[in-house]
């Protein structure tokens, strides 16, 4: 199992996360920080817990936001093609 981490191309991952303007890692940290702040504010202000289905929806939204940031150029290309097709 540890061999997978030793053989991984960490330089490619670093280059990918450092690419863009602002860097992709900064965009990911920003969106995750916003969700964390919203979570902390909600935890402080609301005494009852969130429903399980709502919790899963929020986590899904966070994952979707992260994937949209990671694949932003691909998503933009698909949207551009869809707009041109209309």
């Amino acid at each position: 199992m540890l061999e997978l981490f030793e053989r991984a191309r960490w330089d490619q991952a670093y280059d990918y996360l450092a690419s863009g303007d602002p860097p992709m890692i900064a965009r990911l940290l920003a969106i995750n920080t916003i969700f964390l702040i919203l979570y902390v504010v909600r935890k402080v202000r609301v005494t009852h817990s969130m429903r399980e289905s709502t919790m899963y929806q929020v986590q899904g939204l966070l994952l979707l936001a992260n994937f949209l940031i990671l694949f932003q150029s691909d998503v933009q290309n698909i949207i551009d093609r869809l707009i041109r097709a209309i």
Side-chain angles (χ1 to χ4, degrees):
M1 181 74 175
L2 292 176
E3 300 147 9
L4 294 175
F5 290 108
E6 290 174 359
R7 291 188 320 215
R9 300 292 310 247
W10 296 111
D11 57 328
Q12 289 177 347
Y14 175 80
D15 292 342
Y16 182 70
L17 291 174
S19 66
D21 186 31
M24 190 171 302
I25 190 69
R27 290 181 273 170
L28 286 170
L29 286 172
I31 193 74
N32 288 309
T33 302
I34 290 169
F35 272 88
L36 178 65
I37 289 170
L38 291 174
Y39 171 78
V40 169
V41 168
R42 186 188 183 286
K43 198 74 162 160
V44 167
R45 293 196 175 200
V46 179
T47 57
H48 62 281
S49 62
M50 191 182 298
R51 290 183 309 198
E52 188 174 347
S53 63
T54 307
M55 180 182 61
Y56 288 134
Q57 290 173 355
V58 171
Q59 288 176 350
L61 182 63
L62 179 59
L63 281 173
L64 177 67
N66 283 309
F67 283 130
L68 286 175
I69 289 173
L70 286 172
F71 301 109
Q72 179 179 358
S73 61
D74 296 332
V75 171
Q76 284 178 333
N77 290 337
I78 291 170
I79 291 174
D80 288 341
R81 278 192 238 141
L82 288 173
I83 290 174
R84 278 188 237 129
I86 295 177

